[in-house]
Amino acid sequence: MVAIPTMGRESLSATIESVINSAARTDCRVKILLVFNGTTASVHGHMDYFLPDNVEIETVHEPNRGYSNARNAIIKNLDASVLAMVDDDEVVNPDWIATGLSELRKYNADVIAGPVQYIISDPAAGWIHARRVFSSPDRKDGQELEVCSSNNLFLDTSRLRNLPNFDEQYNFTGGEDTDWTMRLHRDGARIVWSNGVSVAEFVAADRLNRQYIRRRFQNNGEILALTIYHDKSTTWLLGAGTLRIAAGIGKTLLSKLASLTPVSRIPSWRYNDAEALIWRGVGIIRQSVLGSRQRGGKNI
């Protein structure tokens, strides 16, 4: 089963088409489960596809808005030995399904996660590429993980029975997949990275600005505090956030110095993550002091 949670974005049609094309290159039966979250307006508008004999589409309406609610509807309607998930603003590569199934067997994994290739069409947005705002982490094939995202994963449900629900406190904040996969890992699930299981996402133009990017980095910090650092004390979180801010400021100052110094006389520093360090630090501190995530946050 390939599950796509959606609020009916225009990009959904391209996502569905890419999954159908990928399924057509396999000899297994593939059900595409569309979970329409909080909207029914587009449910019947995404059914006019030419389907190979091995592909079917099923739609589910989850009236309660929220990331976790949509993903819990997927678990509720799960009836396959393998679950793959992809977001409705992404397209999968032609061999995505075949590779995902193969990698589960190859690595004897419970979960396979893969990279997202972010495509930015605006030629004036080179500074965003430089800061690696939209980028997947550099990982090796077969690397074992403690957490992963749910926008590009394969999960062997024949090995992982009685899947837990996604935590509803993340309905409007994001981070629900980090928390969920972290709990899977703690219960013994083996999560493995594969660069061959890749998808592409076209970055919307309204995200190509500093305000959005700073909010995204701050959001990352808040999610870190709530999930991976959930068992840390407030004092520890304050220290971790402050260290990140200090490191970011230090890198910024070094970059200024480097711009005034002949390249041959200084080391080759990497400064592009300075802004990310600062705003992730702000997010960690904000969550530790204000508990902003529990009150509901931005849709990032």
Side-chain angles (χ1 to χ4, degrees):
M1 173 189 286
V2 177
I4 309 172
T6 182
M7 291 178 61
R9 297 188 199 185
E10 292 184 5
S11 55
L12 175 60
S13 293
T15 305
I16 296 172
E17 289 281 8
S18 71
V19 172
I20 292 172
N21 291 337
S22 184
R25 297 167 69 97
T26 72
D27 57 4
C28 59
R29 293 202 58 79
V30 177
K31 175 189 287 187
I32 300 174
L33 179 68
L34 305 178
V35 177
F36 286 87
N37 186 212
T39 177
T40 58
S42 301
V43 171
H44 299 293
H46 292 283
M47 297 302 294
D48 297 329
Y49 297 97
F50 174 77
L51 300 179
D53 292 339
N54 67 324
V55 179
E56 62 176 303
I57 295 180
E58 179 180 330
T59 62
V60 172
H61 177 223
E62 171 50 59
N64 298 312
R65 290 279 298 275
Y67 300 125
S68 296
N69 289 337
R71 298 196 187 282
N72 285 337
I74 292 172
I75 294 175
K76 182 179 179 180
N77 289 274
L78 180 60
D79 61 357
S81 59
V82 174
L83 168 65
M85 284 194 275
V86 64
D87 284 355
D88 65 352
D89 56 353
E90 299 171 340
V91 294
V92 308
N93 70 46
D95 293 318
W96 183 68
I97 293 176
T99 303
L101 296 175
S102 173
E103 298 291 77
L104 280 171
R105 295 189 296 269
K106 174 182 176 181
Y107 293 110
N108 192 29
D110 299 301
V111 180
I112 289 289
V116 178
Q117 177 189 4
Y118 293 93
I119 300 173
I120 300 175
S121 58
D122 186 350
W127 61 276
I128 292 181
H129 282 293
R131 284 163 174 76
R132 292 177 61 85
V133 176
F134 301 99
S135 64
S136 286
D138 297 323
R139 291 172 174 150
K140 295 180 179 179
D141 286 326
Q143 181 176 338
E144 294 195 28
L145 311 176
E146 295 184 1
V147 299
C148 67
S149 299
S150 61
N151 61 336
N152 178 23
L153 66 73
F154 284 77
L155 188 148
D156 188 339
T157 60
S158 67
R159 293 164 57 110
L160 295 176
R161 301 184 182 277
N162 300 317
L163 290 174
N165 280 336
F166 287 80
D167 193 328
E168 293 181 8
Q169 76 165 308
Y170 302 104
N171 260 328
F172 302 105
T173 63
E176 80 288 348
D177 48 0
T178 300
D179 171 76
W180 189 70
T181 56
M182 182 176 66
R183 286 187 280 129
L184 287 178
H185 178 264
R186 286 176 177 169
D187 288 340
R190 188 162 180 263
I191 305 174
V192 178
W193 182 264
S194 171
N195 288 299
V197 181
S198 64
V199 301
E201 176 182 330
F202 289 89
V203 180
D206 61 2
R207 296 183 175 186
L208 303 179
N209 60 79
R210 290 188 179 277
Q211 181 180 4
Y212 172 85
I213 289 167
R214 288 173 178 174
R215 193 169 74 242
R216 181 183 177 96
F217 286 143
Q218 181 176 316
N219 182 79
N220 294 157
E222 294 183 10
I223 290 173
L224 276 174
L226 260 185
T227 56
I228 296 175
Y229 300 153
H230 76 285
D231 57 347
K232 304 299 184 182
S233 66
T234 299
T235 301
W236 190 96
L237 291 172
L238 289 172
T242 301
L243 284 174
R244 279 174 169 76
I245 293 172
I249 292 173
K251 282 197 169 188
T252 300
L253 294 175
L254 284 171
S255 69
K256 299 291 186 183
L257 177 63
S259 66
L260 301 173
T261 307
V263 174
S264 60
R265 294 174 56 185
I266 63 171
S268 178
W269 297 89
R270 290 186 63 183
Y271 312 108
N272 292 337
D273 62 343
E275 193 169 9
L277 282 169
I278 292 171
W279 287 99
R280 282 175 182 147
V282 170
I284 291 172
I285 292 174
R286 176 177 169 81
Q287 173 57 34
S288 65
V289 174
L290 302 178
S292 59
R293 308 298 290 188
Q294 277 76 8
R295 296 199 309 274
K298 299 287 187 179
N299 182 355
I300 303 299

